[in-house]
Amino acid sequence: MLQNRNAPGRKAEGALNHCGGDESAYSTAASAQTIEITFEAFGCGFDVVVKPQIVPDNQGWEFREHAQAMAFAQSLHQQHGWAIVDRTGGAHA
């Protein structure tokens, strides 16, 4: 039995992703980024930073609670597939 290569949930053969390249190029670019959760340098919260930076002026996002920082990092992970690196050890401040 032949499989339908363009079945729902499957990308059509030769289709481009939203960035204009092929799927393998997107996967390679996505794996180059990481999401880092760190202690805020001059405060009592947490920073979430994508490294290497995509936009040079963006220094990241600040959150008061670790849970908020982790939820934001997980949303970036789900959207882009970037790995999360929690440099706080999951600590709560």
Side-chain angles (χ1 to χ4, degrees):
M1 176 184 221
L2 294 174
Q3 288 185 327
N4 181 355
R5 290 187 176 164
N6 296 326
R10 278 188 64 106
K11 185 175 243 184
E13 211 171 300
L16 300 177
N17 67 27
H18 67 279
C19 295
D22 65 21
E23 188 66 28
S24 61
Y26 178 71
S27 299
T28 303
S31 64
Q33 306 295 125
T34 59
I35 306 161
E36 291 190 7
I37 301 173
T38 60
F39 290 109
E40 191 176 297
F42 301 106
C44 59
F46 300 90
D47 290 332
V48 176
V49 179
V50 175
K51 291 192 177 184
Q53 290 178 326
I54 299 169
V55 180
D57 294 342
N58 184 358
Q59 298 300 315
W61 300 267
E62 296 178 8
F63 297 90
R64 249 175 200 236
E65 305 290 329
H66 183 268
Q68 295 169 320
M70 181 57 78
F72 183 74
Q74 287 173 339
S75 70
L76 288 174
H77 170 73
Q78 289 175 348
Q79 186 175 11
H80 300 286
W82 302 329
I84 298 172
V85 178
D86 188 347
R87 302 227 181 263
T88 69
H92 301 282

